[in-house]
Amino acid sequence: MNKKPTLRKRIGLELFRRLHKNNVKLHTLNTLFWECTLRCNLSCKHCGSDCHVSAEQPDMPAKDFFRVIDEITPHVNPNKTFIIFTGGEALVRRDLEACGLELYRRGFPWGVVSNGMALTRKRLDSLLAAGMHAITISLDGFEEAHNWMRSSSNSYKNALNAIKMLVPEQEIEWDIVTCVNRKNIAQLTEFRDFLISIGVKSWRIFTIFPVGRAAEYPEFQLSDEDFTTVLNFIRDTRKEGKIHLSYGCEGFLGNYEMEVRDHFYTCRAGVNVGSVLADGAISACPSIRANFNQGNIYEDNFWEVWQNRFQSFRDRNWMKKDECADCNMFRYCEGNGMHLRDENGKLLVCHYKRIV
Amino acid sequence: MKKLKHLFLKSFNAVLMAILALLGFANCDRMGLDMYGTPTPEYGVPSVDFIVKGKVINEIDGKAVEGIRISRRFIGTVAMYGTPTLEFNEKSPVYTDKDGNFLTKLSSPFNFSLEFQDVDGVKNGAFKDTTIFVQFDEGKHILNLDVELKPKVKETDE
């Protein structure tokens, strides 16, 4: 497949670009991450790529986060503002249900991103009773590949148990997320068939970039050929229609746009997505470098920050430098995802250029 | 002025989405966009509704009652951390269909009452107004609620 967008895709991309510009002007906050803890019950090999803060950071008291909720509530539609508990491992927080129930009572949908280690039947029931609306479980292939990545001999068994408990649940949205790497790429087809056989309906795939702890493991880095193989795999699986598979949100993918996701690429960080990090920092997606933090809830009003800052997220012309300077896809890509910029604003990886 | 600008931008996005759909880029649901063209987040569903659904019947003969207006009224405070007390009628009442079925969406699982009113006179029978305080089971987003209405007694019968 030629990686350059066809004429029809170009027209679609132009229309979507206009739509995105309107969304930037509106910058409706509809997704808010709360990095509710940096504690974790695993030590995953790729984790350091996203976390730069010591786990010695104490958990933020719930009342501090709910002060943020109070600040945004008059300005958003709670029913359409999704709150996501993330970590660390969110389930290590014992007051998660109390926090969730409080959000439920205020009309906010809420969800959890988890490795599944601590998701017992009892815990799932208590989360459901607290109004949990969505959950994402990480499963990085079959037992050997998953346990290698998570550095734990029990992690696959526990994650799989968690998934099997979710299969019959009708009232919540849930999906599986898989990090594809050299250890599991050869088994993707077999793994897909396995997920379908146990009743998984929704699956997301992402790849990792060489940052932090992940940079120490060459097993994580796919070749450009492998990366393209993954995109073809996603496209073909979507055509089969047996499971809803998508590539993660990052990366402009040229002619693979609309083939491997439900929508054209756009980075919503700071446009629709905000976050409150463990130390109170105000950011967009939690994986974005700390130098892009826009404030701190202990010093600033979150809503004031959301309304009046985030300029570097909403006007990305500053990214048109280095390898992006002369790229004719920049008008659609706008410099790739914010989390793919390092401490100096330099682009770490261009997905489009990796496609062969 | 700001509201007008927002309305314009949202309407503009609706037009853009319609053109994208015409070009074969699927409808907004399949594109993972909400009604204003904002892509949905990766980690689940961005919106929630608290749904009350059920059937309205005649208390005497158990027959379905069509045309009953159901209005939603919010009274009270729900927050631990400072949201003030509110009282308002939510817009857009719903009506029971020919089988007496209704479905209405609330913005909160607490402190709502539903008012069932016969607004079509004697057509479909005449019934007394009824107000029910809604009580969701904790953590649930759907409530099944069947309602029996008392017929109005004719003055000559009293």
Side-chain angles (χ1 to χ4, degrees):
Chain A
M1 184 167 162
N2 190 334
K3 74 176 185 178
K4 287 186 179 174
T6 59
L7 177 62
R8 177 174 157 273
K9 287 255 174 80
R10 285 260 187 178
I11 295 169
L13 283 164
E14 287 294 336
L15 291 166
F16 196 78
R17 179 172 172 261
R18 182 65 253 177
L19 195 138
H20 177 67
K21 283 188 179 297
N22 290 348
N23 281 335
V24 169
K25 287 177 187 167
L26 289 165
H27 54 266
T28 306
L29 177 69
N30 64 15
T31 305
L32 180 63
F33 284 93
W34 179 27
E35 192 178 58
C36 62
T37 183
L38 284 179
R39 291 180 291 134
C40 190
N41 48 14
L42 286 177
S43 180
C44 304
K45 289 186 171 62
H46 67 311
C47 184
S49 60
D50 290 339
C51 299
H52 289 291
V53 186
S54 165
E56 291 169 5
Q57 168 76 37
D59 293 357
M60 178 185 292
K63 67 178 175 53
D64 295 349
F65 177 69
F66 276 93
R67 203 177 66 241
V68 173
I69 295 295
D70 279 342
E71 287 167 2
I72 67 170
T73 297
H75 309 285
V76 302
N77 178 347
N79 295 172
K80 297 188 185 306
T81 308
F82 186 45
I83 312 296
I84 305 169
F85 298 138
T86 184
E89 167 56 35
L91 294 187
V92 303
R93 252 191 103 114
R94 301 314 301 176
D95 64 349
L96 206 63
E97 285 85 344
C99 297
L101 192 56
E102 182 58 30
L103 290 169
Y104 168 83
R105 287 171 172 166
R106 293 163 180 233
F108 286 91
W110 65 273
V112 178
V113 181
S114 172
N115 58 33
M117 283 291 283
L119 195 65
T120 59
R121 182 72 250 177
K122 188 179 172 189
R123 193 76 200 270
L124 177 59
D125 287 342
S126 70
L127 290 165
L128 292 171
M132 183 175 70
H133 197 53
I135 185 165
T136 293
I137 303 289
S138 300
L139 191 68
D140 301 310
F142 289 112
E143 187 159 12
E144 186 187 345
H146 181 88
N147 286 348
W148 169 78
M149 185 135 163
R150 303 283 158 179
S151 305
S152 162
S153 58
N154 291 323
S155 59
Y156 177 81
K157 185 183 72 179
N158 289 9
L160 191 58
N161 282 342
I163 291 163
K164 286 179 176 174
M165 279 190 292
L166 291 169
V167 169
E169 293 298 333
Q170 300 292 320
E171 285 198 25
I172 57 167
E173 298 288 332
W174 62 275
D175 68 356
I176 305 301
V177 63
T178 298
C179 170
V180 175
N181 54 69
R182 285 194 209 170
K183 284 262 186 187
N184 61 16
I185 187 169
Q187 297 174 310
L188 267 185
T189 303
E190 198 182 346
F191 186 59
R192 174 194 62 197
D193 295 344
F194 170 70
L195 291 180
I196 293 169
S197 75
I198 61 172
V200 175
K201 305 283 186 207
S202 189
W203 182 27
R204 255 180 309 127
I205 277 178
F206 70 101
T207 48
I208 341 184
F209 45 93
V211 177
R213 214 184 301 169
E216 299 167 19
Y217 294 90
E219 293 94 329
F220 282 132
Q221 305 313 320
L222 297 177
S223 66
D224 291 352
E225 286 76 14
D226 283 345
F227 176 66
T228 310
T229 298
V230 171
L231 295 182
N232 287 329
F233 170 78
I234 297 171
R235 184 196 57 195
D236 295 344
T237 298
R238 288 168 68 90
K239 280 181 183 166
E240 283 180 15
K242 292 178 182 169
I243 189 169
H244 186 255
L245 174 60
S246 303
Y247 186 63
C249 67
E250 65 178 18
F252 174 74
L253 301 171
N255 209 24
Y256 284 89
E257 287 296 315
M258 294 300 294
E259 307 284 337
V260 296
R261 299 190 191 100
D262 295 346
H263 54 81
F264 288 109
Y265 166 75
T266 180
C267 177
R268 299 169 53 238
V271 178
N272 307 114
V273 179
S275 69
V276 175
L277 303 183
D279 61 356
I282 297 169
S283 185
C285 301
S287 54
I288 292 170
R289 308 300 133 208
N291 54 307
F292 291 108
N293 290 350
Q294 300 294 301
N296 192 295
I297 66 161
Y298 294 108
E299 296 164 7
D300 305 296
N301 177 297
F302 184 93
W303 188 251
E304 294 286 325
V305 172
W306 180 257
Q307 285 297 83
N308 302 315
R309 298 185 196 170
F310 284 98
Q311 287 88 351
S312 58
F313 292 72
R314 294 170 189 168
D315 180 357
R316 302 197 182 186
N317 278 316
W318 64 269
M319 291 184 180
K320 199 167 171 51
K321 60 182 182 181
D322 306 325
E323 61 182 303
C324 295
D326 300 318
C327 180
N328 58 7
M329 291 295 139
F330 186 85
R331 62 192 284 108
Y332 311 126
C333 161
E334 292 199 324
N336 220 342
M338 280 296 286
H339 69 292
L340 297 171
R341 295 278 162 174
D342 72 8
E343 289 75 4
N344 301 311
K346 188 172 167 52
L347 182 64
L348 294 162
V349 62
C350 171
H351 291 70
Y352 179 67
K353 287 183 178 165
R354 295 198 67 191
I355 299 169
V356 293
Chain B
M1 193 64 188
K2 195 175 175 183
K3 277 187 179 175
L4 270 178
K5 185 183 167 192
H6 281 200
L7 188 63
F8 169 77
L9 290 170
K10 287 176 178 180
S11 304
F12 191 2
N13 276 1
V15 172
L16 289 168
M17 282 198 297
I19 300 171
L20 281 164
L22 283 173
L23 285 169
F25 290 113
N27 59 37
C28 61
D29 285 344
R30 278 201 56 209
M31 277 186 70
L33 306 177
D34 71 9
M35 64 184 292
Y36 300 120
T38 309
T40 53
E42 287 216 320
Y43 296 99
V45 179
S47 63
V48 66
D49 290 310
F50 296 95
I51 295 170
V52 184
K53 60 181 182 178
K55 186 169 186 168
V56 177
I57 60 171
N58 183 329
E59 182 193 67
I60 303 299
D61 58 17
K63 288 184 178 171
V65 184
E66 183 182 358
I68 296 297
R69 183 170 72 184
I70 299 143
S71 308
R72 300 156 292 179
R73 186 167 182 78
F74 178 81
I75 305 168
T77 177
V78 294
M80 286 159 59
Y81 299 107
T83 302
T85 299
L86 301 166
E87 182 169 345
F88 58 89
N89 287 321
E90 292 215 324
K91 292 174 185 171
S92 307
V94 297
Y95 296 83
T96 54
D97 65 14
K98 63 180 173 48
D99 298 317
N101 294 320
F102 71 96
L103 186 151
T104 187
K105 296 174 180 178
L106 309 179
S107 55
S108 160
F110 298 103
N111 299 327
F112 266 96
S113 61
L114 294 179
E115 294 174 9
F116 294 78
Q117 292 175 294
D118 183 352
V119 291
D120 60 4
V122 293
K123 186 184 173 189
N124 303 312
F127 295 90
K128 292 179 179 175
D129 294 348
T130 296
T131 299
I132 295 177
F133 192 77
V134 170
Q135 186 68 53
F136 280 73
D137 287 338
E138 194 106 293
K140 295 292 182 186
H141 297 92
I142 298 174
L143 173 67
N144 291 304
L145 182 71
D146 292 336
V147 178
E148 295 182 355
L149 292 184
K150 289 181 190 297
K152 280 183 181 170
V153 180
K154 290 178 186 171
E155 287 182 14
T156 52
D157 294 339
E158 291 178 342

